[in-house]
Amino acid sequence: MNNFKINSKNKKVATTSSRQCLGISITDKSINMVLLNARSLNQFRLEKYVVVPLPKNIIGNGNIENHDELVAHLQQAKQKLQSNCRNITVAISQKQASIRFLSRTEDTEYTEEEQIMAELSQYDSLDNVSYDYQNISTNDQGGENLLLVNSKRDDVDMLMDAYTEAGITPTQMDVDLLAVINSAITWINIRQPDLANKCIAVFNIDYRETQAIIMRHGKLLYKQEINLGYDHLIQSLRRNYQLTEEEAWDMLYSPSKPENYNSAVAQPFQQQFIQEIQRVLQFYFTSASQENEIEEILIFSYGNNGSNGFTDSISQQTRIPAQQINPILLAQPGDSIEQAKLQLDSSLLTVAFGLAVRGL
């Protein structure tokens, strides 16, 4: 959603051309900022990043619950980052947005805009909707694939108001789910281009839930939210070691863990997670055609949590090759960035990285 105050009716979304972009994602747990510099199409430099923890009851399930506190923490994150970059991409939660891929054949009688208006006609008034769309691909027969994203105008305005009051002026807004897809595409293009034309399942572990995405050629084929995230690990740590929530977070991201961490915490979580993966795949396979059979599983945001053997277990139980990756590690870190700290924080930065790449 490039245009916040007016609805976009452009055939193709305009993007800001810049060698530098700041991506900002807000979760229930933290504000994450990633400042990228593009040296070339597939070469990035991570100039700076910040992770600012958020107390409870500021963001809940993607919604702003305490406007003033959110503004204060955004100002804190901006001050900590110390950047004058004006090319800024921010995220809106998929819970507050609708994402649709529409097909058009060459002989379609109505225009792109008429098709979009028909899709949006379910709403009482277009004045209450923020939307944008673009043609993302055209096949050999002239058929088009359109991406339509829309959200309630009030949700967009509320988020924009918080950024504006914090002294931040976004130039683009994207959906967090599409930022995850963008991170996946970027990683595939650079590290494993042979996956570019294959059907991929991506699982991005977040605080309260996991985003499950099945995609091919960058097109979203299926999505589902899994009610399993880092919070489940935190509660397990608290139960097993009698910790406060803050102490549990410190232990989760500490390179040293208790001797029985794998057996008491990591392995039960991993087995539960694999069961959820199998459930997602089962739902997908009931509606998928054979040409979209999944050929690779990518796990985002779990690489630093005692996950030895995790992907082996996934591959054995699903019979699909699996990898764990943190896409932001594609970027060459700037001189001021501590490598060890980046390794620990990398699992929190997938969405912000995808947003920053989107703006380059």
Side-chain angles (χ1 to χ4, degrees), residues 191-202:
R191 289 290 174 84
Q192 206 165 339
D194 59 297
L195 295 178
N197 297 320
K198 295 182 178 180
C199 187
I200 308 297
V202 176

Side-chain angles (χ1 to χ4, degrees), residues 175-223:
V175 183
D176 55 6
L177 187 77
L178 296 180
V180 174
I181 292 176
N182 209 24
S183 290
I185 292 170
T186 303
W187 184 87
I188 288 170
N189 287 343
I190 295 174
R191 289 290 174 84
Q192 206 165 339
D194 59 297
L195 295 178
N197 297 320
K198 295 182 178 180
C199 187
I200 308 297
V202 176
F203 295 86
N204 181 54
I205 304 173
D206 210 332
Y207 177 52
R208 296 190 187 280
E209 69 275 321
T210 292
Q211 296 162 318
I213 299 164
I214 296 176
M215 53 182 272
R216 188 187 186 102
H217 299 297
K219 181 180 178 180
L220 178 66
L221 302 176
Y222 180 82
K223 66 181 177 70

Side-chain angles (χ1 to χ4, degrees), residues 248-274:
W249 273 100
D250 288 342
M251 180 179 289
L252 181 64
Y253 288 98
S254 170
S256 58
K257 302 282 198 300
E259 188 174 340
N260 68 338
Y261 173 81
N262 273 331
S263 60
V265 177
Q267 290 175 5
F269 175 82
Q270 291 170 17
Q271 192 53 48
Q272 186 178 358
F273 194 86
I274 292 171

Side-chain angles (χ1 to χ4, degrees), residues 100 115-124 126 129 131 148-150:
R100 278 167 282 183
Q115 183 170 354
I116 296 300
M117 293 302 103
E119 288 290 328
L120 296 173
S121 62
Q122 60 183 298
Y123 298 97
D124 294 334
L126 289 181
V129 180
Y131 68 92
L148 169 64
V149 178
N150 64 273

Side-chain angles (χ1 to χ4, degrees), residues 36 52 60 75 101 115 151 197 244 282 295 300 324-325 344:
L36 284 185
V52 173
Q75 290 172 329
F101 288 85
Q115 183 170 354
S151 181
N197 297 320
T244 65
Q282 186 175 12
E295 298 180 74
F300 287 2
Q324 288 176 237
I325 57 176
L344 294 176

Side-chain angles (χ1 to χ4, degrees), residues 4 14 60 83 90 105 132 144 152 156 168 172-173 284 332 340:
F4 308 112
S83 169
V90 300
T105 59
D132 219 335
E144 299 176 356
K152 291 181 180 178
V156 174
I168 298 170
Q172 295 96 215
M173 181 180 287
Y284 171 72
Q332 179 184 353

Side-chain angles (χ1 to χ4, degrees), residues 25-32 51-62 70 73 206-209 230-231 234-235 238 244-250 252-253 348:
S25 72
I26 304 174
T27 70
D28 292 8
K29 193 64 183 176
S30 62
I31 296 171
N32 310 307
V51 176
V52 173
L54 284 179
K56 289 183 177 180
N57 304 321
I58 292 182
I59 300 290
N61 207 30
L70 177 59
H73 282 80
D206 210 332
Y207 177 52
R208 296 190 187 280
E209 69 275 321
Y230 282 114
D231 187 46
I234 295 301
Q235 300 311 317
R238 295 187 66 180
T244 65
E245 183 163 341
E246 184 176 347
E247 290 170 339
W249 273 100
D250 288 342
L252 181 64
Y253 288 98
L348 304 173

